[in-house]
Amino acid sequence: MKQYLDLCQRIVDQGQWVENERTGKRCLTVINADLEYDVGGGQFPLVTTRKSFYKSAIAEIIGYLRGYDNAADFRKLGTKTWDANANDNPAWLNNPYRKGDDDCGFIYGAIARNFPKPDGGSLDLLQQIIDDLSSGNDNRGEILTFYHPGAFHMGCLRPCMYSHHFSLLGDTLYLNSTQRSCDVPLGLNFNMVQVYVLLALVAQITGHKPGKAYHKIVNAHIYEDQLELMQQVQLKREPLPLPTLKINPKIKSLRDLETWVTMDDFDVVDYQHHDAIKYPFSV
């Protein structure tokens, strides 16, 4: 929680204004932030200075792991985070690759689970990683990437948190996640949860102990219409003790994640929080 608040304060104090062409808004911006989560120690990084809808964040990362490319599928799992990008983005609505209502196109997990090969066919990057780690192998390239510049025009949004690199030392699994761009008031609240949950889940289904997750953000920003709420409300609140995340121990395979897992398989214990803050969302 301190890492999150320190980054918010750093942006307020040191950020520079940058025009954002996609949204038509200015962003107060800093470059490079490094956050760290002790997953093995159970330090669940859930924001307490406002109410955080953690199940929506978890549903989104599960949707990525399943390779979803449709906002309706994300909604069924428990998150509406893709509704606006799929249906309210003017550039995407006029894109010839859009297949209709709720279609997101070639995004995130849809890329990682079906990554095109130059010589034809595709790779399931997640399945390869799970197979390697389950057998105790780490080839120093266990990288789940959602980033494919040649496919940007085929999706409604480029991936923000685009790379997850797993590393195995003995029987402990680590994760380095890289994010090119982060809406700190809204997105980081979700992204911290997702990095933590991703390491916890992959460690659980591959039979390893979770270690630490390292989360690098390249461009961290606060939109101009979010700044007052951040300064006058959230940064004036005192953080509360962190809660604990409980994951159903019956989740033992990638197949489980793909088929029967729901948000009922995740529970947060002792979550104390301040009131919600309705930050503006920029499509």
Side-chain angles (χ1 to χ4, degrees), residues 44 46 53-63 65-66 77-78 193-194 196-202 204-205 244-253 256-258 260-269:
F44 188 44
L46 190 59
F53 299 94
Y54 67 91
K55 286 198 174 183
S56 183
I58 296 173
E60 187 175 55
I61 192 68
I62 297 295
L65 298 181
R66 289 181 175 178
L77 192 53
V193 168
Q194 291 169 337
Y196 183 103
V197 168
L198 182 58
L199 177 56
L201 277 175
V202 173
Q204 181 168 309
I205 67 178
T244 302
L245 176 67
K246 301 292 185 183
I247 299 177
N248 187 345
K250 294 182 180 179
I251 302 174
K252 297 183 181 297
S253 69
D256 291 341
L257 284 178
E258 293 171 330
W260 57 263
V261 169
T262 71
M263 293 310 99
D264 291 337
D265 295 297
F266 303 88
D267 189 34
V268 169
V269 180

Side-chain angles (χ1 to χ4, degrees), residues 65 111-115 122-129 144 254 258:
L65 298 181
I111 292 174
R113 300 302 306 269
N114 190 34
F115 200 91
S122 63
L123 297 172
D124 185 338
L125 301 179
L126 180 59
Q127 186 66 66
Q128 287 187 340
I129 291 168
L144 182 69
L254 179 56
E258 293 171 330

Side-chain angles (χ1 to χ4, degrees), residues 37 161 179 182 187-196 215:
Y37 319 125
M161 189 158 59
Q179 186 165 356
C182 184
L188 185 52
N189 170 48
F190 266 41
N191 301 140
M192 294 190 301
V193 168
Q194 291 169 337
V195 171
Y196 183 103
H215 182 183

Side-chain angles (χ1 to χ4, degrees), residues 187-245:
L188 185 52
N189 170 48
F190 266 41
N191 301 140
M192 294 190 301
V193 168
Q194 291 169 337
V195 171
Y196 183 103
V197 168
L198 182 58
L199 177 56
L201 277 175
V202 173
Q204 181 168 309
I205 67 178
T206 59
H208 299 293
K209 296 187 299 186
K212 290 185 176 182
Y214 303 96
H215 182 183
K216 176 176 284 293
I217 302 166
V218 178
N219 184 303
H221 51 266
I222 298 173
Y223 281 99
E224 57 185 329
D225 55 4
Q226 299 170 331
L227 185 58
E228 184 176 0
L229 284 171
M230 175 59 73
Q231 287 180 295
Q232 301 303 321
V233 182
Q234 190 158 6
L235 283 174
K236 292 185 180 297
R237 294 174 173 178
E238 288 295 322
L240 301 169
L242 291 177
T244 302
L245 176 67

